[in-house]
Amino acid sequence: MSSEGDGHAMGRGDVSRRRLMRLAGAGAGLALLGAGAAACGPEDELIDGGDSGSKEPGGSTPAPGGKPKPAWQHDTAFDGLAWQSALAVVDNVVLVSCDPLVARDLTTGKEIWSRAEVTTPGANMLIGDGTLYLASARYDGNIIGLDPKTGKDTWRSRLGDKEYSQPRPIAADKNHVYVVAGILDKDFRTPDNVIAAIDTSSGKVIWREQRDHGTEQNGITARVAGNRLAYTDFRENLTVRDTATGRQVWTKKIGRSNNRGFEVHGGLAILANGERMRAYDLETGAERWSFATEKYSRFNDPAVVDGVLYVSDTVHGLWAADPATGKRHWHNKGSLDVAAPWQFAKVGDVLYGATEFDKNGGIHAFDPANGDLRWTYNDGTGNIQRWYLASGGKQLVALHGKKVTGLPVG
């Protein structure tokens, strides 16, 4: 394994004592672990669902410093267990990880379809080439594909018959669904696990590779870029495989990573590594650049949106940089007064960020040119679950606790 390098560091300033004291009382974000479950069964009947606790479409963008009025809002059965992708938007359809699985119109919030007993607890809304891939809620070893517009099964496959436990998808592209599963021993334990690729056309297993002994099946975050599958895990490894063959191209220890979100962009894997952002070449594993946050601070999950890398830190600063070089565009320390976002989206000329739990958190709207805060939406519930957001076209949707909300943009 290659050793970590310092790369080309940005300027690094100390956090003032006054700033640290102001942050001391802020609520800590809770990282809820995703439950890795899997399997599948016969197609369930689609059911009509009522809308309880809903608000009719409307909404308005606030004046500077004001609070936006939701365009629509509905109750959900969200269990709070999804690791990262608890919310997804595809083809103007909003999907929330819950049972029953409910699809809503992004613009109006109107229910399109509802289907019970199709998702496992903590299921990520994993979209690949317009299809939602899920481990079956019947725990029978199947992986299924659903049409987000109708909720009907369009695809299904299985990794094996009885030799694997809890297969579940971790990534998908046009050609493959990538799956991890425990390998059952004679005592029905799973000391080892396997990663595999299943063809999205035929449902056949293309390749299957046993991971190193001691690696864990849960806590995996994966991204696909061209012919490379990259993923991190609880053991704090960053691993890259060839999507066609499953061959391990390289792997390395990445120290104290956030073990959650990372980005693949322009041939690089970009992730938070404690107090540094680092970019590794997908082909060689060589570090291409890195930069540091302020003293006594750590980076949160990065996102590349419209060709710009955005990331916050644990002292509530917001950064924008060139993902190809790591060169800083700006660092907004003024955002210290609000909770730091961990998930980003952009609609039009506004950057949006979803925060962990914090009384000053929620959905923030920022100026992407400098990181200045335009407004914040918070539902006032005090729910300790993190916020999620997703965008589609010119619309924005947020998930928090048991409510999914359509928000105005601008």
Side-chain angles (χ1 to χ4, degrees):
M1 297 183 184
S2 59
S3 60
E4 296 183 358
D6 287 335
H8 302 288
M10 291 184 178
R12 177 178 176 180
D14 289 352
V15 181
S16 71
R17 182 173 180 177
R18 178 181 299 176
R19 206 177 294 165
L20 288 173
M21 290 177 68
R22 186 163 67 235
L23 292 169
L30 300 180
L32 300 177
L33 303 184
C40 168
E43 181 176 341
D44 297 295
E45 294 295 325
L46 299 184
I47 60 174
D48 291 329
D51 291 338
S52 62
S54 64
K55 293 182 180 180
E56 292 304 314
S60 61
T61 302
K67 179 179 178 180
K69 177 184 176 183
W72 53 263
Q73 188 174 76
H74 295 279
D75 291 339
T76 76
F78 179 50
D79 58 20
L81 296 176
W83 179 237
Q84 265 204 313
S85 305
L87 178 69
V89 173
V90 55
D91 295 331
N92 209 50
V93 176
V94 178
L95 298 167
V96 175
S97 177
C98 59
D99 183 22
L101 180 60
V102 178
R104 296 188 180 278
D105 183 275
L106 175 62
T107 303
T108 66
K110 182 179 179 181
E111 183 176 302
I112 301 172
W113 55 262
S114 176
R115 186 171 170 186
E117 298 181 352
V118 71
T119 56
T120 57
N124 282 316
M125 298 292 95
L126 177 61
I127 307 294
D129 196 32
T131 298
L132 171 66
Y133 291 100
L134 296 166
S136 166
R138 296 188 182 276
Y139 298 94
D140 58 5
N142 286 311
I143 303 295
I144 61 173
L146 270 64
D147 182 347
K149 294 181 180 179
T150 65
K152 294 182 178 179
D153 288 14
T154 59
W155 182 93
R156 74 173 49 212
S157 182
R158 58 188 302 115
L159 194 58
D161 291 327
K162 298 180 180 180
E163 63 267 44
Y164 300 107
S165 171
Q166 296 187 340
R168 61 185 179 88
I170 59 170
D173 56 24
K174 184 177 181 180
N175 300 313
H176 302 128
V177 179
Y178 304 93
V179 177
V180 294
I183 303 173
L184 289 167
D185 64 15
K186 62 180 181 179
D187 297 317
F188 299 100
R189 297 173 301 182
T190 55
D192 297 296
N193 63 88
V194 67
I195 186 168
I198 303 175
D199 188 275
T200 55
S201 297
S202 65
K204 294 181 179 179
V205 177
I206 302 302
W207 52 260
R208 185 166 28 210
E209 295 289 331
Q210 182 171 332
R211 299 177 66 217
D212 293 342
H213 182 73
T215 55
E216 300 180 26
Q217 180 183 347
N218 297 323
I220 294 176
T221 301
R223 299 285 184 268
V224 186
N227 64 345
R228 294 293 179 256
L229 170 68
Y231 56 92
T232 62
D233 56 38
F234 278 150
R235 295 288 185 178
E236 299 177 343
N237 302 294
L238 174 61
T239 303
V240 174
R241 292 183 181 272
D242 184 274
T243 57
T245 65
R247 176 182 61 87
Q248 183 169 292
V249 180
W250 56 266
T251 187
K252 65 172 64 217
K253 294 290 183 182
I254 53 175
R256 289 184 57 84
S257 167
N258 57 22
N259 303 128
R260 292 193 318 198
F262 70 100
E263 283 284 351
V264 288
H265 180 83
L268 300 174
I270 305 170
L271 52 80
N273 188 204
E275 64 182 14
R276 302 193 75 87
M277 287 299 305
R278 299 186 187 274
Y280 297 98
D281 191 295
L282 283 175
E283 297 300 319
T284 66
E287 185 178 279
R288 294 305 180 194
W289 56 257
S290 79
F291 63 83
T293 185
E294 295 181 286
K295 193 175 182 180
Y296 308 123
S297 175
R298 307 179 70 80
F299 279 117
N300 296 312
D301 296 7
V304 177
V305 184
D306 282 354
V308 177
L309 171 68
Y310 297 102
V311 64
S312 67
D313 58 39
T314 54
V315 292
H316 299 189
L318 190 62
W319 305 68
D322 183 341
T325 64
K327 182 179 179 180
R328 181 172 65 191
H329 295 326
W330 48 259
H331 172 207
N332 190 329
K333 299 181 182 181
S335 55
L336 282 163
D337 291 329
V338 301
W342 71 280
Q343 215 175 42
F344 295 90
K346 190 179 179 186
V347 181
D349 62 350
V350 180
L351 176 70
Y352 299 92
T355 76
E356 301 277 8
F357 168 71
D358 190 292
K359 65 180 181 179
N360 296 321
I363 301 297
H364 297 315
F366 298 102
D367 185 336
N370 53 27
D372 286 350
L373 182 68
R374 294 187 176 184
W375 52 256
T376 296
Y377 172 76
N378 190 302
D379 55 19
T381 63
N383 190 297
I384 65 171
Q385 293 185 23
R386 70 170 73 122
W387 289 76
Y388 300 82
L389 62 74
S391 63
K394 297 182 179 180
Q395 302 293 323
L396 184 73
V397 63
L399 173 66
H400 181 231
K402 297 291 185 181
K403 293 188 181 296
V404 59
T405 305
L407 289 174
V409 296

